[in-house]
Amino acid sequence: MKVTQVIENVFKKYLPSPFTIAILLTLITIFLALILTKPISTSTFEYSLNIVRFWEKGIWTNGLLVFAYQMMLILVLGHVLVLSTPISNLILKVTKYCTNTATSAAIVSCSTMFIAFFNWGLGLIFGALLARKVAEHAQKNNFKLNYPIIGAAGYVGLMVWHGGISGSAPIKINENGHIKSIMKSISSDEILVQIPNLIDYSQTVFSWWNLVIFFMVVIAVTTTFYFLGKRATPTKINLPEYGMGKEDKGTTQAEKLDSSSLLAYAFGILILITFFYRYFEDIKSLKITPNLINFFMLGLGIVLHGSFKKFTSAVTESISDVSGILIQFPLYFGIMGIMKSTGMVTLISDFFVSISTTTTLPIFTFFSAGIVNVFVPSGGGQWVVQGPIVVESALKLGVPLPKAIMALAYGDQITNMLQPFWALPLLGITKLKAKEILPYTLIAMVVGSLVYLIGLVVF
């Protein structure tokens, strides 16, 4: 456990906020572009101005700004769904089967990973609330529990999310022309003609090999948490009841309209009918896009909350989750603008090609993505920065694009168990500290890494 204390201290002392990291990475990218890509015929001052122009242009890339908003909605609407009364009741029913640390840890970790595979925002908050309610259940029924293990189990959904339905990389490459749009002005014509218009979920998320890897991770991590719980020492729990899905009826005519179940159900069902009319063929062909997921969750969220007042209250509670995405994504778009326009993507991909083979590139991608995630704790931001490098390298070496991109997704998600950025909502709900869950999330990271690496080698 001393190792985890050292890691926590390092993060606390030497790792600044994600926003500061984004700024530092911007400055480093500007410096490297100036050193590595400046044409001999251009003065340093003139090229510096060109670089900052590339940066500014990248920040306001329309397609990427739409992407940022899509990712924010995925997180917020997922959180909103968990705060609805039906899912709150489901969480309370699940806690009845939690009678000791081992069983509770297995139930929380397994259910959280399955929920996160569908939607990472939903999985993150579901895991946090389930962990909190399990602790309250233990406190109420006077059975002993190691609460930090349960809290860590509620966080492991973040080690499977990027290989799931709402994963930033697989969901974007499923959009018409997305891959070509990010590779335009980067790749040669010879490479561009190899790029498919899209890569659908049958080749990534719902491919047989990704599903096998996912179920292997679920089994391995759930078993690990069960045995951790078997050997765990109970901890003291002193928690007030966490309120979920409370009703607040209005008194004025306007407030009654806000609280109207009839109006909410009618509009929510209208959205869902429109959803199936618009996206039925896309669902049949596994063309899952951010717009498809968000439109479905919007309608479902309104129906499950049963009134506009409860729905908007849940949105208000959830909106703080996206502050990091809102302000950091444009900075990463600027970094991508520099890398794309100066030719840095090609330089970096050439380096990876020079040290890799068809077999080792996915492994290098996995580890490099894990390292990048420590500094860029956002799957969407990481896809924007690292995605073009992975695509270019894979095409040059003949590695199948779905495998290379999923290797990036696996690496990005696994070090969430080390990087505490996305654990903040969970820590706020459970009232645990990072140092309390870190020992167990690190064990989960090691177990998950072994499964992902074996999967990348075998499949």
Side-chain angles (χ1 to χ4, degrees):
M1 299 302 176
K2 290 182 180 179
V3 175
T4 61
Q5 187 67 53
V6 170
I7 293 173
E8 187 194 4
N9 290 337
V10 168
F11 270 85
K12 215 176 262 187
K13 290 181 180 179
Y14 303 110
L15 198 68
S17 71
F19 179 68
T20 302
I21 291 173
I23 293 173
L24 292 176
L25 289 174
T26 300
L27 296 175
I28 291 170
T29 304
I30 292 173
F31 176 75
L32 290 176
L34 186 61
I35 297 298
L36 299 176
T37 67
K38 186 184 83 67
I40 298 175
S41 59
T42 307
S43 69
T44 300
F45 178 73
E46 183 182 353
Y47 196 60
S48 298
L49 292 179
N50 287 338
I51 291 173
V52 294
R53 181 167 56 84
F54 298 149
W55 174 62
E56 189 274 342
K57 184 178 179 182
I59 287 175
W60 306 120
T61 303
N62 289 337
L64 294 179
L65 289 174
V66 170
F67 171 50
Y69 190 69
Q70 289 170 329
M71 292 302 105
M72 286 190 284
L73 277 177
I74 282 177
L75 177 57
V76 169
L77 292 175
H79 191 158
V80 166
L81 285 177
V82 179
L83 296 178
S84 67
T85 301
I87 295 186
S88 298
N89 291 338
L90 174 64
I91 289 173
L92 293 176
K93 287 180 181 178
V94 171
T95 60
K96 295 179 181 179
Y97 299 97
C98 300
T99 55
N100 55 60
T101 301
T103 304
S104 300
I107 290 174
V108 173
S109 60
C110 184
S111 58
T112 298
M113 284 186 282
F114 273 103
I115 296 293
F117 188 82
F118 168 71
N119 177 274
W120 68 283
L122 181 63
L124 175 62
I125 307 305
F126 177 89
L129 289 175
L130 180 57
R132 172 68 181 253
K133 286 301 176 181
V134 167
E136 290 179 14
H137 177 67
Q139 184 176 272
K140 182 179 179 180
N141 292 277
N142 297 314
F143 69 80
K144 295 180 179 180
L145 190 79
N146 183 297
Y147 190 26
I149 288 182
I150 306 305
Y155 186 52
V156 295
L158 268 289
M159 64 183 286
V160 299
W161 79 275
H162 207 157
I165 295 173
S166 66
S168 302
I171 204 172
K172 288 306 290 182
I173 63 175
N174 203 8
E175 288 187 347
N176 284 318
H178 173 74
I179 309 175
K180 289 185 177 180
S181 71
I182 65 171
M183 300 307 294
K184 191 177 179 182
S185 303
I186 294 176
S187 301
S188 64
D189 291 339
E190 184 182 353
I191 294 293
L192 285 173
V193 296
Q194 301 178 51
I195 297 176
N197 192 43
L198 58 83
I199 299 175
D200 65 38
Y201 271 30
S202 66
Q203 301 174 72
T204 55
V205 174
F206 295 137
S207 64
W208 68 268
W209 51 270
N210 182 61
L211 292 176
V212 169
I213 291 173
F214 168 68
F215 281 109
M216 287 171 59
V217 170
V218 170
I219 292 170
V221 173
T222 300
T223 303
T224 299
F225 270 94
Y226 178 82
F227 285 107
L228 284 173
K230 277 283 188 182
R231 302 177 59 185
T233 303
T235 57
K236 185 179 179 182
I237 302 173
N238 184 20
L239 294 169
E241 184 178 356
Y242 188 91
M244 301 191 301
K246 291 183 177 179
E247 184 72 50
D248 184 17
K249 293 289 185 181
T251 54
T252 68
Q253 195 63 37
E255 289 176 337
K256 288 180 179 178
L257 196 62
D258 291 337
S259 302
S260 169
S261 297
L262 179 62
L263 188 58
Y265 288 140
F267 189 69
I269 291 171
L270 175 63
I271 292 176
L272 293 176
I273 291 173
T274 307
F275 165 80
F276 285 109
Y277 170 75
R278 167 64 181 82
Y279 292 108
F280 182 71
E281 292 300 323
D282 288 345
I283 295 171
K284 281 174 59 179
S285 60
L286 297 181
K287 187 183 175 185
I288 311 298
T289 63
N291 291 342
L292 181 153
I293 290 178
N294 284 327
F295 198 54
F296 175 70
M297 289 198 298
L298 175 63
L300 185 62
I302 292 173
V303 169
L304 291 183
H305 278 281
S307 75
F308 296 140
K309 186 170 186 178
K310 291 180 68 177
F311 177 78
T312 54
S313 295
V315 170
T316 300
E317 183 174 337
S318 308
I319 207 75
S320 62
D321 296 344
V322 302
S323 59
I325 296 177
L326 176 67
I327 200 64
Q328 291 169 50
F329 265 37
L331 292 175
Y332 292 126
F333 301 159
I335 291 173
M336 191 59 244
I338 295 171
M339 296 177 69
K340 181 177 180 179
S341 299
T342 61
M344 283 182 67
V345 170
T346 303
L347 285 176
I348 297 172
S349 67
D350 285 344
F351 168 74
F352 274 104
V353 169
S354 69
I355 64 170
S356 304
T357 65
T358 304
T359 302
T360 60
L361 181 66
I363 306 301
F364 285 136
T365 300
F366 174 83
F367 283 112
S368 62
I371 294 169
V372 171
N373 181 57
V374 173
F375 300 98
V376 185
S378 158
Q382 182 161 344
W383 167 245
V384 170
V385 174
Q386 194 177 4
I389 297 171
V390 172
V391 171
E392 180 89 357
S393 303
L395 290 174
K396 287 180 177 178
L397 280 174
V399 176
L401 279 182
K403 183 175 183 178
I405 292 169
M406 293 305 284
L408 180 150
Y410 297 156
D412 164 69
Q413 64 192 9
I414 198 66
T415 49
N416 283 327
M417 299 300 99
L418 175 67
Q419 160 63 268
F421 178 71
W422 289 115
L424 294 178
L426 177 137
L427 298 176
I429 291 171
T430 61
K431 301 306 177 186
L432 290 166
K433 296 178 180 178
K435 65 181 179 182
E436 293 179 292
I437 69 169
L438 195 57
Y440 309 107
T441 59
L442 285 179
I443 293 172
M445 184 181 77
V446 172
V447 172
S449 295
L450 291 173
V451 176
Y452 286 125
L453 288 170
I454 291 171
L456 288 172
V457 171
V458 173
F459 304 129

